[in-house]
């Protein structure tokens, strides 16, 4: 099971700008930035949404929609300038040729991935972007959903990624891990 951004592709996402955008959206709705600034951006959206929902549930839905749209726009813009890393397609095709099941899981939105890799589905057995899971990595649900789709047990799999979140996801799901230095 592969991560996408940084493992199979280079997107150069402005994560700092993405975080600033989410913090600003949350601040506009009265969320103290110190309550969420230490979190990764998707987790910050969820935490801010819970804070807002405690005060005004309708605003939380609007915040989630606005924050997700902003994050997706930043990812898609980066994807338009991004590319697959050399050998990614060939590696996935070689795995398929050898009858080794493969999957791609990513915290990125589907559109960002398919902007760079429109035929991803023909290169791997499962593709699970963030929209297809209730909990993204490092939560084990994301990786376990891929394994279920592949009909593979955690002991039979390896999670490959470039970020500590990928390694943590693998460990949380009971899967061996491999870090890549892209």
């Amino acid at each position: 099971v592969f991560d996408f951004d940084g493992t199979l592709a280079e997107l150069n996402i402005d994560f700092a700008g993405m975080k600033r955008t989410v913090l600003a959206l949350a601040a506009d709705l009265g969320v103290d930035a110190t309550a969420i600034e230490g979190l990764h951006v998707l987790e910050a959206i969820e935490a801010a949404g819970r804070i807002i929902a405690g005060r005004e549930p309708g605003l939380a839905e609007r915040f989630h929609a606005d924050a997700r749209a902003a994050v997706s726009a930043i990812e898609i813009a980066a994807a338009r300038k991004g590319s697959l890393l050399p050998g990614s397609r060939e590696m996935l095709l070689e795995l398929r040729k050898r009858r080794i099941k493969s999957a791609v899981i990513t915290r990125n939105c589907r559109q960002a991935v398919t902007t760079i890799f429109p035929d991803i589905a023909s290169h791997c057995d499962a593709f699970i972007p963030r929209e297809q899971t209730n909990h993204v990595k490092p939560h084990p649900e994301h990786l376990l959903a891929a394994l279920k789709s592949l009909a593979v047990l955690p002991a039979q799999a390896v999670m490959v990624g470039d970020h500590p979140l990928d390694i943590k996801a693998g460990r949380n799901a009971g899967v061996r891990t491999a870090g890549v230095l892209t």
Side-chain angles (χ1 to χ4, degrees):
V1 178
F2 297 93
D3 167 54
F4 187 70
D5 180 17
T7 302
L8 299 175
E10 184 175 5
L11 273 73
N12 291 320
I13 296 171
D14 180 7
F15 288 109
M18 184 185 286
K19 183 79 164 272
R20 283 191 304 274
T21 299
V22 168
L23 291 174
L25 287 169
D28 287 346
L29 296 174
V31 175
D32 179 10
T34 60
I36 61 171
E37 65 189 356
L39 301 172
H40 293 287
V41 72
L42 298 177
E43 289 76 5
I45 291 170
E46 293 307 312
R50 285 190 299 274
I51 293 167
I52 296 164
R55 294 190 312 248
E56 196 168 339
L59 277 181
E61 291 174 27
R62 188 184 97 210
F63 167 75
H64 273 172
D66 290 350
R68 288 181 187 136
V71 166
S72 292
I74 292 167
E75 290 171 346
I76 293 163
R80 287 186 181 121
K81 298 175 185 174
S83 63
L84 284 177
L85 290 170
S88 292
R89 283 179 190 276
E90 296 81 6
M91 176 200 54
L92 291 169
L93 289 172
E94 183 65 24
L95 290 173
R96 179 164 274 179
K97 180 179 162 187
R98 293 180 185 206
R99 298 179 190 228
I100 298 171
K101 295 178 182 179
S102 67
V104 174
I105 64 172
T106 181
R107 291 169 57 99
N108 294 116
C109 69
R110 174 179 292 280
Q111 188 176 348
V113 173
T114 58
T115 295
I116 291 176
F117 198 175
D119 55 341
I120 189 170
S122 66
H123 286 73
C124 60
D125 301 292
F127 166 49
I128 304 177
R130 74 164 169 262
E131 301 94 336
Q132 284 184 235
T133 186
N134 290 323
H135 302 284
V136 293
K137 35 180 200 160
H139 194 285
E141 179 182 302
H142 203 170
L143 178 51
L144 292 173
L147 297 181
K148 182 177 181 182
S149 177
L150 299 175
V152 170
L153 297 172
Q156 300 170 307
V158 176
M159 175 69 213
V160 181
D162 71 311
H163 194 277
L165 286 177
D166 301 316
I167 303 308
K168 189 172 182 183
R171 289 182 178 159
N172 288 343
V175 172
R176 287 174 292 197
T177 60
V180 295
L181 302 173
T182 46

